[in-house]
Amino acid sequence: MKKFVMAALGGTAAGVLLTTQVAGPLIAQENARNTTVYEQLDLFGDVFERIRTYYVEDVDEAELIEAAINGMLTSLDPHSSYLPPEDHEAMQVQTRGEFGGLGIEVTQEDGFVKVITPMDGTPAFDAGVEAGDFITHVDGTSLLGLPLSDAVELMRGEIGSEIVITVVREGEEEPLEITIVRDRIRLTAVRHRLEGNTAVLRVAGFTDQTYPNLRDGLEEMIEEVGGIENLEGVVLDLRNNPGGLLTQAIRVSDAFLEQGEIVSTRGRDPEDGERYNATPGDLIEGLPMVVLINGGSASASEIVAGALQDHHRAVIVGTNSFGKGSVQSVMPVQGDGAMRLTTSLYYTPSGRSIQALGVAPDILVEQREIGDVEESAFPERTEASLRGSLANGSLTEDEIRQLEEEQEAARAAAELRAEDYQMAYAIDILAGLNALRPR
């Protein structure tokens, strides 16, 4: 019995010794780290007090602290930042689809402000700002080295006021000065139109109105062509779409998928990951689809393109997308402000992250310059143009009318190809896919 007790005590002593040997260094490391953090906070306090005491002009302590917080966040990545109360309110208004400004989505790259995309129908779009432009000056003030939030603040102003931005554009030897009149931005989330019997859905951004607009637009076009059996397919145009609400990207993807994963998000802790799946029901009942993307397609629009691509539900056409594969959480903080913090990355159904890579199109199609359809200098030479050729008397009036309609459709397609080559290419693909459908 004594041996048993001694053995037990010995085991306990050994366990305590082992725990002490392992935990001791870990506790010491944690203490050392905490000491370093406190020293750095002391350093911050010291610098803050010296600025208050010795800076050449009086400083606003609140603005100084906000700048320090924003600097801490922006040092992490281009999409993390501090939102003062007014910016937080403006962001909430923007996700509802209406806000004031120029109408451009921007990011920061190597200290410069880069345009992700101008939004459809906004002052910046109408003034000729293009995706990929670098904004170097606002009204003559250099933006180099400014935090992104400060640069954006310089571009804001009263509705109706004029602003001159200086941009550097690839392919242009000299910087361009573009004059823009600020306006209230009212985004139409989804515009729709028919090209023949093809439904075109132009999605400008992912706001609260995106899915309802898309659904209603589809229903209207299906009714216009006389039923879904007469619809040839859908072109989902996500070009220059800067993204928006993740929830809306999921709903738009789900609109065309019957089942399977749409997107997953993964953060630092694997247990915090989320997976979003499609629900039964396809608004166009399996009709062929083409999705158009380009370098201005970012974030939520890449989620949609990636999901439909991985499920082989749509052919992706255009050029490589922007490559913003991170998710930001907006966390309210005291004082009615908020912090926007990158908390996870999103992954397409096949498990690929598009962060910094983008979605590669299935068919690479560069946009061509807008131009007019040129008429040939010589008349078209056909059998019917030959003198004395035999006329085809076998055609009925209905067949002649159908032939004329087909010729008119061909002319319209040629005009569209001159106006928007990528869109015309997408519609051609749909026509080919539709021709293979069983009848």
Side-chain angles (χ1 to χ4, degrees), residues 145-217:
L146 281 181
L148 185 60
S149 57
D150 290 354
V152 170
E153 190 64 32
L154 283 175
M155 289 185 270
R156 290 179 178 154
E158 293 183 6
I159 293 171
S161 61
E162 195 172 83
I163 179 175
V164 178
I165 63 172
T166 305
V167 304
V168 173
R169 181 176 298 166
E170 186 176 356
E172 298 287 345
E173 293 184 2
E174 298 292 330
L176 305 173
E177 289 197 347
I178 301 176
T179 301
I180 307 174
V181 177
R182 298 179 178 96
D183 198 0
R184 183 172 301 281
I185 310 302
R186 292 181 177 89
L187 286 180
T188 301
V190 181
R191 293 185 175 91
H192 65 275
R193 73 177 194 273
L194 284 169
E195 291 285 348
N197 278 13
T198 296
V200 176
L201 291 163
R202 165 64 187 149
V203 183
F206 289 88
T207 71
D208 289 335
Q209 300 304 312
T210 300
Y211 175 75
N213 287 174
L214 180 141
R215 178 199 58 214
D216 295 346

Side-chain angles (χ1 to χ4, degrees), residues 207-434:
T207 71
D208 289 335
Q209 300 304 312
T210 300
Y211 175 75
N213 287 174
L214 180 141
R215 178 199 58 214
D216 295 346
L218 263 177
E219 290 176 355
E220 186 178 317
M221 289 185 288
I222 289 170
E223 183 178 351
E224 189 174 340
V225 298
I228 197 164
E229 64 276 5
N230 297 322
L231 195 67
E232 292 187 352
V234 168
V235 176
L236 188 65
D237 187 358
L238 300 178
R239 291 173 299 177
N240 296 327
N241 181 322
L245 299 175
L246 174 64
T247 52
Q248 289 292 310
I250 292 167
R251 293 192 73 185
V252 169
S253 303
D254 195 6
F256 304 106
L257 294 173
E258 290 282 359
Q259 61 181 359
E261 182 181 309
I262 293 173
V263 67
S264 62
T265 61
R266 306 176 203 170
R268 181 193 296 182
D269 187 345
E271 294 182 0
D272 292 337
E274 297 281 351
R275 189 180 303 273
Y276 303 91
N277 296 315
T279 56
D282 178 348
L283 293 183
I284 57 172
E285 300 178 8
L287 288 175
M289 285 187 70
V290 171
V291 176
L292 280 173
I293 60 171
N294 65 4
S297 306
S299 191
S301 57
E302 294 175 288
I303 290 175
V304 176
L308 297 179
Q309 184 180 53
D310 282 1
H311 283 287
H312 307 289
R313 180 63 187 88
V315 179
I316 312 300
V317 173
T319 56
N320 214 77
S321 64
F322 184 75
K324 181 183 177 293
S326 60
V327 180
Q328 283 68 48
S329 298
V330 178
M331 306 173 183
V333 295
Q334 63 185 35
D336 296 327
M339 58 186 286
R340 181 167 49 198
L341 186 67
T342 300
T343 52
S344 58
L345 299 177
Y346 70 75
Y347 293 79
T348 69
S350 65
R352 59 189 169 124
S353 168
I354 63 167
Q355 174 61 26
L357 297 176
V359 174
D362 298 313
I363 303 175
L364 179 64
V365 180
E366 298 279 356
Q367 184 67 294
R368 293 185 179 177
E369 292 297 322
I370 295 174
D372 297 323
V373 179
E374 296 181 1
E375 296 290 340
S376 173
F378 300 97
E380 187 178 8
R381 186 173 176 81
T382 65
E383 171 68 18
S385 68
L386 298 179
R387 181 182 299 174
S389 65
L390 296 175
N392 189 332
S394 66
L395 296 178
T396 65
E397 289 186 5
D398 287 343
E399 288 172 332
I400 292 173
R401 185 164 55 252
Q402 181 180 350
L403 181 61
E404 290 173 346
E405 289 174 355
E406 290 173 352
Q407 291 172 340
E408 178 58 34
R411 278 192 292 272
E415 291 175 0
L416 179 62
R417 194 167 283 106
E419 295 171 2
D420 188 342
Y421 181 74
Q422 290 174 322
M423 178 62 70
Y425 200 106
I427 292 172
D428 287 345
I429 291 172
L430 274 183
L433 293 172
N434 195 58

Side-chain angles (χ1 to χ4, degrees), residues 82-89 92 332-338:
Y82 173 69
L83 300 171
E86 60 273 15
D87 291 353
H88 186 208
E89 173 61 25
Q92 291 173 312
V333 295
Q334 63 185 35
D336 296 327

